[in-house]
Amino acid sequence: MSSRSKMFGLGAESELAPSVRAFRTTLMLAQKLRNEMDVRLREDGLTTQQAALITAVQAMGKPSLAEAAAALGSTHQNVAQIVAALQRKELLQVEPDPADRRRKLLSATNHSADYWRERDAGDFAAVADWFADLSPDELETFCELSDRVIARFDRA
């Protein structure tokens, strides 16, 4: 166990309440995963947050800026900054909503689709490696348990 894990009271010998230990463990894991993906994306001038926005936009079709911000659990202002950076990189486009010209709709560009098609295999392999110490059954359990916690927030 790393000294940072001990510092936050993680690990089998933790004296934290199980829910607090789970929170801290999840937070540390999320930070490590985001940092690792940021390193992978850095050479192309991207961040994990930018990639997450593109993923959300692709999944949602043509969301508004507000809808994309809600999907990321982020502020309108923060997502607007990410959108501006992705527009400069020609990975996202913004167009007026035909039904309400004041509202802007986001969509991924063809350049974005080409870019991700070239990188996906390597990124997927890296993610598989990060979770390689877990069996397929353990990964399924990890996802099921995480989904239950996420669903609780969604119901709130």
Side-chain angles (χ1 to χ4, degrees):
M1 175 178 1
S2 72
S3 61
R4 204 163 97 184
S5 292
K6 282 185 177 180
M7 177 186 349
F8 287 103
L10 306 180
E13 297 83 35
S14 176
E15 294 181 14
L16 293 171
S19 58
V20 174
R21 179 179 168 209
F23 170 77
R24 289 185 185 181
T25 300
T26 303
L27 187 60
M28 183 169 284
L29 176 60
Q31 289 172 333
K32 286 182 178 288
L33 291 171
R34 185 172 179 169
N35 288 341
E36 289 297 318
M37 188 55 76
D38 279 343
V39 167
R40 290 189 58 78
L41 294 169
R42 187 171 294 128
E43 67 188 41
D44 292 340
L46 291 173
T47 67
T48 304
Q49 191 72 358
Q50 290 170 339
L53 177 59
I54 293 169
T55 300
V57 166
Q58 290 172 326
M60 297 171 78
K62 287 190 169 189
S64 69
L65 191 70
E67 291 166 335
L72 288 183
S74 189
T75 65
H76 185 280
Q77 181 179 1
N78 186 44
V79 172
Q81 291 173 347
I82 296 170
V83 166
L86 292 172
Q87 280 184 283
R88 287 190 298 275
K89 295 171 186 170
E90 300 179 350
L91 296 171
L92 272 188
Q93 62 187 18
V94 179
E95 54 194 74
D97 183 340
D100 179 355
R101 308 281 297 163
R102 296 168 296 168
R103 193 170 107 132
K104 304 295 182 198
L105 301 178
L106 309 176
S107 60
T109 64
N110 289 335
H111 175 66
S112 178
D114 293 342
Y115 171 78
W116 294 110
R117 195 174 304 108
E118 289 179 25
R119 325 188 31 105
D120 275 351
D123 289 341
F124 291 175
V127 170
D129 183 59
W130 299 339
F131 287 92
D133 289 345
L134 300 180
S135 71
D137 285 344
E138 289 171 326
L139 283 169
E140 184 63 32
T141 299
F142 175 84
C143 291
E144 288 173 3
L145 295 172
S146 298
D147 288 344
R148 284 173 40 197
V149 175
I150 291 166
R152 183 170 184 84
F153 283 101
D154 291 344
R155 289 190 307 265

